[in-house]
Amino acid sequence: MNKPLAIGLIIFFILVIAGGATWLTLGPEAETETSGRGTILRFPFGLFGADEPTQPTPQPTPTTEEKQALVLLDQGPVESFSATKNGARYLLKQDGHVLEIGPKGGEQVRISNTTIPKIFEVAWSRDASKTILKYIEGANARVISAEFIATSTKAVVLPQNIISAVFAPDRDRIAYLIPTSSGARLITANTDNTKQTEITNLPFKDFDLFWPEKNSVYFSSRPSGSAGGFLFKYDLLKESLDKVLGDILGLQVKFSADGQKFAYSAYDSISKPRLYIYDFKTAKTADLQTATLADKCAFAKSAKNIIYCGIDQGMTPALYPDAWLKGEISSNDSLWQINLETGEKKMLTEQKFDIKQISPSDNDVFLYFIDKNNGSLWSLKLTD
């Protein structure tokens, strides 16, 4: 071997060794673990102040365990559902019939044969025995408070101009907003609309209503990426109205079961919605460093620091949530579990959906959701 060639080879090997040492020193901070149920991303700084997470590496074909855990409960189209102790109770879009099915599928139980077509908005009581339905009849929108008795529906007509309505979290009461010339009135009543009480007059009207815990009612402006959204809290004991969030583009809100936290999404400068968590106890906001809509997320019911979300890692830039709500775009969501304390993110299934509504069972053993693409209802077993 001649001398110049030998010197060249020595220099080459020195460069290779130096490059390897540099990569080991400056490599990525996040650790990626792969298990039979999916990918877990661990971030050393938790939720606050962490860098944007790297995209997970391409995932393998779902395991047999994953395929068995994911069950199609009804091909739909399903308009809405509520998790119950027996499974999921759901309302069919085409005729308004109500059925219930176990988390593993099997025989369906018909709860109501009453036909109510063209339903477009549903609120469920905590035990799913009652609903508030908005539907189209002729050229008009109608609103009813419905109770399921035997296989029929007992309905009471509510004011047709109701803006938003919800059930109380702890008793058989409802709350609804009625527009006025200067804003709206907040009314509470029994579920059959008796014993009405006017709670307060509000300076705004086009707001969604939330009643996550017994002493607080919340008002969130209808979301649009082209307008600043607001969230207000009305304290039923103090009779006071306070602003919680303000002037946030594309604001969507999803409360935890105990009302102590809420997730919200905001339309950001890169044309995607970004997900945050607000904790009332600490009065702090955490950036989950995740692009998705709050409507695609649900808090665990028994675990305090877990949230489940449909996340599209290749989310199409658009005006959110407007384009999604209008059906101009759809998402390719995988189901993820996020630990709010550690920042750990775990992919639960490889299969893609456009998540419309999502909710866990009371014991967090199963996760139910609707695929917006076709209105099908699904369950995913979370634990053995």
Side-chain angles (χ1 to χ4, degrees):
M1 179 182 296
N2 60 45
K3 185 174 182 180
L5 178 59
I7 293 173
L9 289 173
I10 292 170
I11 293 173
F12 172 77
F13 285 118
I14 291 173
L15 290 174
V16 169
I17 294 169
T22 301
W23 186 89
L24 290 173
T25 302
L26 301 178
E29 295 179 335
E31 297 178 10
T32 303
E33 296 180 8
T34 303
S35 66
R37 293 301 302 273
T39 297
I40 301 174
L41 301 181
R42 300 183 186 277
F43 302 99
F45 303 110
L47 296 177
F48 295 93
D51 293 330
E52 185 73 25
T54 56
Q55 293 291 330
T57 55
Q59 301 298 312
T61 303
T63 64
T64 301
E65 179 186 353
E66 288 175 317
K67 292 178 181 178
Q68 291 174 343
L70 189 63
V71 177
L72 174 62
L73 299 179
D74 196 300
Q75 293 181 347
V78 172
E79 175 60 30
S80 181
F81 75 90
S82 178
T84 67
K85 63 180 181 180
N86 297 320
R89 182 168 291 188
Y90 59 99
L91 190 145
L92 296 175
K93 188 176 185 67
Q94 67 268 25
D95 53 22
H97 291 178
V98 179
L99 299 95
E100 189 165 278
I101 193 168
K104 298 180 181 179
E107 184 179 355
Q108 297 169 321
V109 176
R110 188 166 295 274
I111 305 299
S112 172
N113 285 321
T114 303
T115 299
I116 308 174
K118 300 182 180 179
I119 295 171
F120 64 91
E121 191 171 314
V122 183
W124 295 87
S125 64
R126 185 60 65 96
D127 64 357
S129 65
K130 302 176 181 68
T131 59
I132 298 171
L133 305 175
K134 286 188 177 183
Y135 64 99
I136 301 296
E137 184 178 72
N140 300 310
R142 306 291 187 191
V143 187
I144 60 171
S145 175
E147 180 178 7
F148 307 122
I149 301 174
T151 57
S152 62
T153 301
K154 179 183 177 182
V156 174
V157 177
L158 298 177
Q160 113 177 36
N161 61 343
I162 283 178
I163 301 166
S164 181
V166 291
F167 285 88
D170 60 337
R171 56 195 185 276
D172 271 354
R173 295 280 284 178
I174 59 175
Y176 54 84
L177 287 175
I178 297 291
T180 65
S181 58
S182 59
R185 292 186 299 147
L186 175 63
I187 306 293
T188 62
N190 288 342
T191 55
D192 61 0
N193 206 29
T194 60
K195 297 185 179 181
Q196 298 176 21
T197 302
E198 183 172 319
I199 301 300
T200 188
N201 282 282
L202 303 164
F204 45 76
K205 62 177 63 177
D206 197 18
F207 275 58
D208 290 321
L209 190 59
F210 299 90
W211 199 348
E213 53 95 8
K214 64 179 182 179
N215 295 323
S216 302
V217 177
Y218 293 83
F219 312 94
S220 179
S221 52
R222 297 289 170 89
S224 173
S226 60
F230 292 82
L231 179 68
F232 294 93
K233 172 185 176 180
Y234 185 81
D235 190 307
L236 295 170
L237 298 179
K238 298 178 181 178
E239 299 183 348
S240 60
L241 182 69
D242 297 296
K243 184 177 75 172
V244 181
L245 296 175
D247 204 20
I248 296 176
L249 294 175
L251 178 65
Q252 278 190 344
V253 176
K254 184 65 69 71
F255 283 88
S256 62
D258 60 5
Q260 298 305 304
K261 298 184 182 75
F262 66 86
Y264 71 92
S265 52
Y267 179 65
D268 68 14
S269 59
I270 60 171
S271 303
K272 294 179 181 180
R274 194 172 179 91
L275 190 66
Y276 302 84
I277 299 291
Y278 184 87
D279 190 323
F280 284 105
K281 289 184 178 179
T282 62
K284 291 183 178 180
T285 298
D287 183 349
L288 295 189
Q289 302 190 22
T290 298
T292 193
L293 294 166
D295 273 2
K296 294 178 177 285
C297 297
F299 286 88
K301 293 182 180 178
S302 59
K304 293 183 178 180
N305 293 305
I306 297 295
I307 190 170
Y308 306 104
C309 291
I311 300 174
D312 183 351
Q313 294 178 285
M315 201 170 195
T316 303
L319 182 66
Y320 285 95
D322 310 56
W324 181 75
L325 291 171
K326 293 176 182 177
E328 296 172 355
I329 60 171
S330 61
S331 299
N332 291 311
D333 303 321
S334 300
L335 288 165
W336 288 74
Q337 174 183 296
I338 304 174
N339 187 307
L340 303 179
E341 185 175 6
T342 65
E344 176 185 276
K345 299 182 181 182
K346 179 180 179 182
M347 183 183 285
L348 300 175
T349 182
E350 302 280 339
Q351 190 164 335
K352 308 296 185 182
F353 305 91
D354 186 358
I355 303 296
K356 171 187 173 182
Q357 182 186 349
I358 182 170
S359 177
S361 60
D362 287 343
N363 55 10
D364 293 319
V365 173
F366 293 93
L367 188 64
Y368 303 98
F369 61 93
I370 294 175
D371 184 359
K372 189 171 181 280
N373 290 314
N374 53 22
S376 53
L377 177 65
W378 295 76
S379 73
L380 175 68
K381 189 174 182 182
L382 297 170
T383 61
D384 295 328

